[in-house]
């Protein structure tokens, strides 16, 4: 019989066996972020709908079609966050962070929600790692952000990633560019998808987001795309040149993509993304850019910022497809008891759990059954709390990897176990002899 309830469309359960990879990725990311001096900030999963409408742009896909918008019982107009930046900037203003120090480096990670059509690498609830560098308009801030962006992927084992970059200018130069785009597409306007025709009127840059195969063929028919870089002013051009020089200096490979405009309206100047072809249509692994107008848009003092979001689901999907190994969980200790030493074993396990992963039978099963469980548990050490040994203040310790056995005193046991757990296990058995380590019943 099919289960009565299933996870809502576009959402997934991450089972314990999936989470090893997630936790490893999150830990690696946390390490990189800390070394770059970024501090974590946690904001609510939902905010006023208006906050997202204001920052992402009324005509963006996210606001128009993808928002989980709802009214609570107090009739507030709310939405699940479709991205982090708006909430983080709301918090930045609400707590007056800008008045404390000029530059803030902030990161967050967690679920975001978009009502899109689910497919491989595209979910309605997915996870992002998000970073913001608020308070500096210097090209060095963009360079730091892009370097951090690449270093996060490198910490996960990605190699040879190429960042694609563009400048999206300022609102005025974007309007100018929008006109060039309209003129460029005028000869094929009637043949564009209905969506793109609408966008061409409301917000022409958004046409470049199209995934429609017919639209893309028409772009190719038109030849070379007008370049945003030809429309930006001298100050934006100088900024752009300085960012590229900085990336060259740190050795980050990049390509300029004249069609890169990003999905949200608040970007200014630098925009960047990274793609991986293994993902097919949903190839974007992450992206970001500068948003110098965003904080003022929210009613704050004009404050520059630059940030990015990395899609964790997609990054992990790629690593999984490549068969990247997940580090095994730390091997620990299995405590086995006799009928007469169960309470002693229970207390011992509790004490050892202050330092080590410890497994213990909770069903008062026979010794043989405990031995079988120990063999399957993945524990490195088996502690046998035998009646006689325990009476002498000792336990028997078997190393399940090297099959050696010794009797150790309870006093000082923690240090002795730590030393043994830290030893590298012997070489794995040759092919053909693989499988769980066998434990013999004493
Ligand atoms: P964006 O804010 O749209 O640039 O998204 C940043 C990253 O989040 C993208 O590059 C993707 O890796 C990821 N992402 C965006 N939408 C989805 C989705 N529906 N499902 C899974 N990952 C997504």
């Amino acid at each position: 019989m099919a289960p009565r309830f299933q996870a809502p469309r576009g959402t997934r359960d991450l089972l314990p066996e999936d989470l090893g990879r997630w936790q490893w990725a999150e830990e690696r990311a946390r390490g990189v972020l800390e070394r770059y001096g970024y501090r974590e900030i946690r904001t609510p999963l939902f905010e006023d709908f208006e906050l997202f409408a204001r920052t992402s742009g009324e005509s963006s896909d996210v606001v128009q079609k993808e928002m989980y918008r709802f009214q609570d019982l107090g009739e507030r107009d709310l939405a699940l966050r479709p991205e982090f930046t708006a909430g983080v900037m709301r918090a930045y203003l609400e707590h007056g962070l800008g008045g404390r120090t000029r530059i803030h480096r902030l990161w967050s990670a967690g679920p975001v929600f978009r009502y899109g059509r689910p497919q491989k690498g595209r979910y309605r609830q997915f996870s992002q790692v998000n970073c913001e560098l608020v308070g500096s308009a210097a090209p060095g801030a963009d360079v730091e952000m892009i370097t951090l962006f690449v270093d996060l992927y490198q910490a996960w084992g990605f190699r040879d990633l190429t960042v694609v970059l563009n400048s999206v200018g300022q609102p005025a130069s974007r309007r100018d560019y929008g006109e060039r785009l309209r003129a460029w597409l005028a000869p094929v306007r009637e043949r564009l998808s209905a969506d793109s025709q609408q966008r061409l009127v409301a917000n022409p840059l958004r046409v470049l987001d199209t995934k429609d195969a017919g639209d893309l063929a028409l772009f190719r028919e038109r030849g070379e795309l007008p370049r945003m870089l030809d429309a930006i002013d001298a100050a934006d051009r100088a900024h752009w040149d300085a960012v590229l020089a900085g990336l060259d200096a740190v050795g980050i490979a990049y390509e300029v993509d004249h069609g890169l405009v990003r999905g949200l309206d608040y970007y200014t100047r630098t925009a960047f993304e990274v793609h991986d072809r293994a993902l097919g249509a949903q190839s974007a692994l992450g992206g970001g850019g500068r948003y110098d107008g965003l904080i003022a848009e929210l009613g704050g003092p004009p404050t520059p910022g630059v940030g990015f979001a990395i899609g964790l689901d997609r990054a992990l999907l790629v690593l999984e497809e490549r068969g990247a190994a997940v580090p095994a969980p730390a091997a620990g200790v299995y405590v086995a008891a006799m009928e007469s030493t169960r309470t002693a074993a229970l207390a011992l396990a509790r004490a050892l759990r202050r330092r080590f992963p410890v497994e213990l039978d909770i069903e008062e099963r026979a010794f043989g059954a405990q031995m079988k469980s120990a063999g399957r548990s993945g524990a490195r050490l088996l502690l046998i709390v035998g009646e006689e040994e325990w009476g002498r203040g000792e336990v028997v310790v078997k190393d399940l990897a090297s099959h050696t056995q010794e009797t150790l005193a309870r006093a000082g046991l923690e240090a002795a176990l730590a030393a043994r757990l830290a030893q590298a296990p012997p070489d794995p058995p040759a092919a053909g002899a693989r499988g769980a380590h066998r434990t013999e019943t004493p």
Side-chain angles (χ1 to χ4, degrees):
M1 206 174 70
R4 184 144 166 231
F5 295 110
Q6 292 175 353
R9 187 164 146 75
T11 69
R12 317 186 278 163
D13 298 309
L14 297 174
L15 301 179
E17 60 262 37
D18 306 321
L19 282 171
R21 198 180 286 280
W22 280 79
Q23 286 158 350
W24 165 82
E26 284 160 5
E27 265 167 45
R28 296 304 293 256
R30 187 181 282 271
V32 175
L33 291 160
E34 279 172 5
R35 293 192 291 277
Y36 266 83
Y38 283 66
R39 299 176 70 203
E40 186 178 4
I41 178 167
R42 298 188 190 187
T43 61
L45 286 182
F46 59 86
E47 301 269 359
D48 286 335
F49 169 80
E50 188 54 31
L51 173 70
F52 299 119
R54 177 74 69 90
T55 53
S56 296
E58 294 282 357
S59 68
S60 67
D61 266 5
V62 168
V63 173
Q64 293 256 313
K65 298 188 230 160
E66 297 183 346
M67 204 74 107
Y68 274 93
R69 184 179 187 179
F70 64 98
Q71 265 195 358
D72 71 3
L73 295 177
E75 299 189 351
R76 293 174 191 88
D77 187 12
L78 300 167
L80 297 183
R81 66 181 177 209
E83 54 104 32
F84 278 93
T85 305
V88 171
M89 293 311 135
R90 195 254 323 123
Y92 171 91
L93 286 173
E94 188 171 333
H95 302 284
L97 297 190
R100 297 190 199 170
T101 49
R102 191 167 59 83
I103 293 182
H104 287 263
R105 292 178 167 86
L106 303 167
W107 72 272
S108 310
V112 292
F113 305 85
R114 292 184 197 169
Y115 187 80
R117 192 169 62 78
Q119 52 186 297
K120 181 184 167 193
R122 183 171 168 144
Y123 313 101
R124 290 179 174 172
Q125 174 178 329
F126 57 100
S127 286
Q128 288 185 337
V129 174
N130 185 81
C131 291
E132 315 287 356
L133 204 177
V134 193
S136 174
D142 310 47
V143 174
E144 176 175 301
M145 264 293 148
I146 296 170
T147 311
L148 168 59
F149 184 66
V150 170
D151 281 351
L152 282 168
Y153 289 106
Q154 289 205 346
W156 292 328
F158 284 84
R159 296 286 173 264
D160 308 324
L161 280 179
T162 300
V163 175
V164 292
L165 286 178
N166 196 14
S167 174
V168 296
Q170 305 288 340
S173 46
R174 269 210 296 280
R175 273 192 297 280
D176 174 22
Y177 179 72
E179 287 312 318
R180 294 183 195 204
L181 210 53
R182 273 196 193 113
W184 185 69
L185 286 171
V188 296
R189 199 182 59 217
E190 263 93 64
R191 290 155 62 203
L192 287 169
S193 66
D195 229 17
S196 287
Q197 291 195 33
Q198 258 172 22
R199 286 171 171 177
L200 205 54
V201 178
N203 188 348
L205 263 68
R206 289 276 83 82
V207 176
L208 297 175
D209 290 339
T210 186
K211 302 265 170 1
D212 184 282
D215 288 348
L216 296 174
L218 290 174
F219 292 178
R220 283 193 295 275
E221 185 182 315
R222 292 296 300 130
E224 203 180 330
L225 189 72
R227 297 171 169 213
M228 187 74 218
L229 289 174
D230 295 334
I232 64 177
D233 64 23
D236 285 357
R237 181 78 209 191
H239 185 91
W240 169 257
D241 291 339
V243 171
L244 296 196
L247 293 178
D248 289 335
V250 291
I252 301 259
Y254 57 83
E255 282 168 12
V256 180
D257 176 352
H258 298 287
L260 176 68
V261 291
R262 308 278 302 136
L264 306 173
D265 282 351
Y266 54 61
Y267 288 105
T268 51
R269 294 189 164 173
T270 320
F272 54 93
E273 279 182 356
V274 66
H275 291 255
D276 191 294
R277 275 175 284 280
L279 283 164
Q282 303 301 320
S283 69
L285 282 180
R290 186 164 267 294
Y291 47 77
D292 293 344
L294 178 62
I295 290 176
E297 183 66 28
L298 293 178
T303 311
V306 52
F308 63 75
I310 289 179
L312 210 43
D313 305 71
R314 288 186 192 171
L316 291 179
L317 207 59
V318 171
L319 292 179
E320 204 177 320
E321 289 192 354
R322 303 220 168 115
V326 188
V333 176
Y334 192 101
V335 176
M338 309 289 170
E339 191 63 46
S340 57
T341 58
R342 288 200 200 283
T343 46
L346 198 60
L348 177 64
R350 185 181 180 213
L352 295 181
R353 278 176 174 150
R354 298 201 182 102
R355 282 187 65 178
F356 316 105
V358 175
E359 266 199 65
L360 172 80
D361 174 56
I362 49 169
E363 294 184 317
E364 308 204 339
R365 291 181 308 155
F367 189 74
Q370 295 179 52
M371 288 301 97
K372 278 198 189 128
S373 296
R376 280 195 297 260
S377 69
R380 170 81 188 267
L381 301 177
L382 168 65
L383 258 66
I384 300 171
V385 189
E387 188 175 345
E388 266 180 40
E389 290 88 355
W390 190 251
R392 292 198 300 269
E394 291 173 344
V395 289
V396 172
V397 177
K398 289 184 110 181
D399 186 324
L400 298 179
S402 65
H403 304 281
T404 52
Q405 177 170 326
E406 53 198 329
T407 302
L408 297 176
R410 169 66 188 94
L413 183 64
E414 282 83 347
L417 295 179
R420 281 150 187 80
L421 286 171
Q423 275 167 17
D427 287 339
R434 301 186 66 199
H437 299 295
R438 295 246 155 261
T439 47
E440 302 114 52
T441 320

